Amino acid sequence: VYQIYPKSFYDTNGDGLGDLNGVTEKLDYIRELGADYIWLTPFFVSPQKDNGYDVEDYYNIDPRYGTMEDFEELSREAQKRGIKLMLDMVFNHTSSNHEWFQKALAGDERYKNYYIFKKGKEDGSAPTNWESKFGGSAWEYVPEMDEYYLHLFHVKQPDLNWDNPKVRKEVQKVVRFWMSKGVKGFRFDVVNLISKDKFEDDFEGDCRRFYTDGPNIHQYLKELNAESFGQDAEIITVGEMSSTSMENCFGYAGEDSHELSMVFSFHHLKVDFMGNEKWVLVPTDFQKLKDILFSWQIGMAKNHAWNAVFWCNHDQPRPVSRFGDEGKYWKKSAKMLATIIHGLRGTPYIYQGEEIGMTNTDFTDISQFRDVESLNHYEILQQKGLSKEDAFRIIQIHSRDNGRTPMQWNGENHGGFTKGMPWIGVNENYSKVNAQSQLHDETSIFNYYKKLVALRKELDIIAYGDIRPLDVRHPSIIAYERIYGEEKMLVVCNFYKTEVVWDSGMDLKGFETLLGNYSEQKIEESKISLKPYEAMMLYRKR
């Protein structure tokens, strides 16, 4: 699956915002890469308080992205190229501009019950001490009602009340509408937060336990499946599972659970956090990264459940900046990171620009950032006593805007993204890092990704094989084998820039190199010498 953040992908009308016609224009590029699906982040009518994840109207396209005719044209043209569309459905909350919420505020009891309104405590304070994921209280007071509404995210994103069967019917209706437009995939945003549990104060420093993987979540997903996408066997679905447990994911994405096709889990992308605290600067815990990746690989396989595998998306920093090397080993480390993910069991997701090694922003001032979460935490960090400089450094490294700078198409002005003024700055390295310069370069990152995609389609072992982690405690190597019938594939990657000799403990005779990011591999009996950020995929019939 190739993920597109339309706002930053390609602008065809010069207004500085990417649009649906921009996706249509670049379909041949996506076909060249080999993707089967395009996941489009929300393009529905929205006031854009959270970049379209605050939906005002689920049935109509925001004019800044185009028209329904543009969408239908995109759908037709994608179909001609054998590419299916996956839409992003935001059903934990709506925009406060949504007709339902406006009716609720006007006193319509039916629609008030679409949301979560509660009386304050006796002293008039919020019903609970829960914090919003964007900072501050998760409750907003409405004086006319003398009640608070819940918003786990932005204050303009009131949470829907999924315990109300009428809400569930509305959501099913939205999915069926887009199915009627030929859509063959759905990604459900923070969907494991839809079933809230007890509305109590948190005294443990983690209020998420009250609304994550809640008591009715599996029932609600089974119902959504039965009433909408489950009626079309061609449709694939993926749930974004915020702070989830693996045990719950056995149900969400189990072979016979009738909920979703696969899940996104994010534990492996918290290995440079301090606990669950994102806004700190700590080095990547490599051992923790391996432990998480492999425990999910093994656990999900054992329980006949399916993973989405990925390094990044529109909410994450760029992997080559985060885990690799933007400098001398930019190309090598980008290919190494790709090798790790694309050899795993699960469906790989490529986020726009990842396939050409795009890097984090090069912003030097907070005014260049657009992300509400980043701007809020820039202030919060200073309130906690950090200097402006230290707060800014943390934002630079962890901001969601790192993944949202415009796609770098060529070496022209603004990286060929727009003829106008882009809505957010383009990284100045576009003259070096761009798609055009990589398409016909056999050694490029793009062509490496293309080979990885082709291998997965060519070799059943990658799609269907079992996985066995190797030498899990090694301080710099990530290695695993895939096994399928009489075939064996070995994936070995050096995660660092220091050369290392790895003793595999196995006889490596008869293995051929499927792919590597250096032109020659040094393999002797059981040992492999790995250069900085070296990656290799080896294969043999057993």
Side-chain angles (χ1 to χ4, degrees):
V1 180
Y2 186 81
Q3 184 198 348
I4 289 178
Y5 191 69
K7 193 173 183 178
S8 297
F9 193 60
Y10 185 58
D11 170 25
T12 58
N13 62 5
D15 65 356
L17 297 168
D19 42 51
L20 292 176
N21 287 335
V23 180
T24 307
E25 273 202 34
K26 298 296 184 181
L27 284 171
D28 285 340
Y29 171 83
I30 297 158
R31 178 174 61 180
E32 180 70 18
L33 183 62
D36 302 295
Y37 273 80
I38 292 170
W39 153 26
L40 294 155
T41 59
F43 49 76
F44 311 112
V45 174
S46 165
Q48 298 287 320
K49 297 293 181 193
D50 185 24
N51 282 292
Y53 282 87
D54 47 325
V55 179
E56 184 178 329
D57 179 351
Y58 291 108
Y59 295 100
N60 284 296
I61 285 159
D62 197 301
R64 70 193 86 194
Y65 293 120
T67 63
M68 189 60 82
E69 288 71 29
D70 294 335
F71 175 78
E72 287 163 353
E73 171 75 357
L74 167 58
S75 184
R76 276 193 302 273
E77 289 300 316
Q79 204 173 0
K80 281 182 198 170
R81 292 162 175 81
I83 298 170
K84 297 182 176 79
L85 300 182
M86 172 185 278
L87 300 197
D88 207 324
M89 293 294 164
V90 189
F91 289 147
N92 176 67
H93 45 263
T94 68
S95 163
S96 56
N97 284 16
H98 197 289
E99 180 188 14
W100 302 339
F101 194 70
Q102 289 302 306
K103 285 180 174 176
L105 291 180
D108 186 326
E109 279 300 314
R110 173 191 167 110
Y111 288 100
K112 193 179 164 197
N113 287 328
Y114 273 34
Y115 296 90
I116 298 169
F117 283 91
K118 300 274 179 197
K119 286 283 180 201
K121 292 178 182 161
E122 280 184 21
D123 64 0
S125 63
T128 72
N129 64 351
W130 297 0
E131 273 197 26
S132 151
K133 287 176 182 280
F134 288 172
S137 172
W139 296 95
E140 180 70 2
Y141 183 60
V142 182
E144 298 78 13
M145 293 178 166
D146 189 28
E147 285 187 312
Y148 290 79
Y149 69 83
L150 180 69
H151 62 92
L152 292 180
F153 294 87
H154 193 281
V155 67
K156 301 285 190 184
Q157 290 172 299
D159 279 52
L160 284 166
N161 174 20
W162 273 71
D163 293 336
N164 179 350
K166 290 189 174 116
V167 167
R168 303 202 298 275
K169 291 281 179 218
E170 294 277 15
V171 160
Q172 293 156 15
K173 195 172 136 197
V174 171
V175 175
R176 287 195 300 268
F177 171 81
W178 289 103
M179 285 169 63
S180 74
K181 296 277 179 191
V183 172
K184 293 293 184 187
F186 294 97
R187 180 259 191 193
F188 295 104
D189 185 62
V190 294
V191 73
N192 64 321
L193 308 185
I194 60 175
S195 172
K196 276 67 175 179
D197 197 1
K198 302 179 183 78
F199 290 89
E200 298 172 0
D201 275 343
D202 164 47
F203 298 111
E204 295 177 23
D206 187 5
C207 58
R208 291 172 305 177
R209 67 187 187 283
F210 296 117
Y211 55 73
T212 303
D213 299 324
N216 300 316
I217 179 69
H218 294 286
Q219 176 200 327
Y220 294 163
L221 285 177
K222 284 184 203 309
E223 189 178 279
L224 181 60
N225 178 313
E227 296 297 325
S228 62
F229 57 81
Q231 296 166 11
D232 181 347
E234 272 196 337
I235 289 178
I236 65 165
T237 52
V238 58
E240 181 196 26
M241 300 300 170
S242 172
S243 305
T244 191
S245 72
M246 199 193 308
E247 290 67 31
N248 270 294
C249 290
F250 301 157
Y252 296 141
E255 193 174 16
D256 298 315
S257 62
H258 304 290
E259 294 183 32
L260 303 169
S261 312
M262 65 192 96
V263 290
F264 286 122
S265 64
F266 296 90
H267 302 283
H268 68 296
L269 295 180
K270 294 180 180 176
V271 293
D272 51 2
F273 289 17
M274 192 175 285
N276 277 308
E277 175 52 47
K278 166 179 174 175
W279 304 100
V280 291
L281 292 184
V282 292
T284 295
D285 185 333
F286 179 57
Q287 188 58 55
K288 188 177 175 186
L289 173 68
K290 287 200 285 187
D291 290 345
I292 291 168
L293 272 181
F294 288 139
S295 65
W296 276 78
Q297 285 282 297
I298 298 297
M300 292 290 274
K302 206 179 277 183
N303 289 276
H304 308 287
W306 199 248
N307 272 317
V309 288
F310 66 105
W311 281 128
C312 63
N313 57 34
H314 61 289
D315 284 335
Q316 300 290 335
R318 293 288 182 178
V320 72
S321 299
R322 188 175 190 177
F323 302 120
D325 181 340
E326 285 184 11
K328 182 178 177 184
Y329 297 108
W330 164 66
K331 199 187 269 195
K332 295 283 190 260
S333 63
K335 291 178 181 180
M336 179 275 291
L337 290 166
T339 310
I340 292 171
I341 289 295
H342 285 257
L344 292 173
R345 177 186 182 274
T347 297
Y349 282 67
I350 298 169
Y351 177 60
Q352 65 183 48
E354 178 191 344
E355 76 284 4
I356 57 168
M358 277 179 61
T359 63
N360 279 355
T361 72
D362 52 2
F363 295 163
T364 54
D365 190 86
I366 195 66
S367 64
Q368 294 171 282
F369 285 87
R370 300 287 176 264
D371 173 39
V372 59
E373 183 193 39
S374 304
L375 297 173
N376 285 355
H377 278 92
Y378 178 64
E379 297 302 327
I380 290 166
L381 288 168
Q382 289 175 72
Q383 287 160 19
K384 287 180 176 175
L386 268 70
S387 68
K388 279 191 169 186
E389 292 72 25
D390 287 346
F392 183 69
R393 184 73 191 123
I394 291 171
I395 300 301
Q396 278 181 309
I397 285 172
H398 287 299
S399 174
R400 301 191 299 180
D401 279 343
N402 284 308
R404 297 176 181 185
T405 58
M407 179 70 179
Q408 293 161 209
W409 290 106
N410 54 43
E412 294 167 22
N413 199 24
H414 304 312
F417 162 68
T418 181
K419 298 263 191 297
M421 184 52 66
W423 73 277
I424 189 172
V426 179
N427 195 311
E428 287 299 327
N429 65 12
Y430 66 80
S431 54
K432 175 197 168 194
V433 182
N434 66 69
Q436 188 180 58
S437 66
Q438 295 195 28
L439 280 171
H440 304 297
D441 172 5
E442 267 308 300
T443 69
S444 71
I445 299 167
F446 177 88
N447 274 301
Y448 195 87
Y449 268 86
K450 190 177 159 182
K451 285 168 189 165
L452 285 167
V453 171
L455 277 172
R456 174 169 285 265
K457 294 177 179 185
E458 189 186 313
L459 297 174
D460 284 350
I461 190 170
I462 305 180
Y464 305 114
D466 295 331
I467 184 161
R468 186 167 77 98
L470 301 170
D471 206 353
V472 180
R473 312 318 296 176
H474 196 288
S476 56
I477 296 288
I478 190 160
Y480 56 89
E481 54 180 5
R482 304 293 306 276
I483 301 144
Y484 187 65
E486 292 303 304
E487 300 169 83
K488 188 180 271 197
M489 186 176 84
L490 183 59
V491 176
V492 189
C493 297
N494 180 3
F495 206 76
Y496 296 99
K497 60 180 156 199
T498 308
E499 293 193 27
V500 62
V501 176
W502 179 58
D503 190 341
S504 69
M506 63 175 84
D507 181 3
L508 297 174
K509 276 199 208 85
F511 274 100
E512 59 174 296
T513 303
L514 284 175
L515 195 57
N517 60 351
Y518 281 83
S519 53
E520 287 178 7
Q521 286 72 38
K522 195 174 173 193
I523 302 167
E524 292 169 2
E525 294 173 352
S526 67
K527 293 181 180 173
I528 301 177
S529 299
L530 292 139
K531 296 178 271 298
Y533 297 106
E534 182 162 12
M536 57 181 81
M537 277 185 164
L538 306 173
Y539 172 86
R540 78 173 177 206
K541 288 269 172 78
R542 287 203 281 177

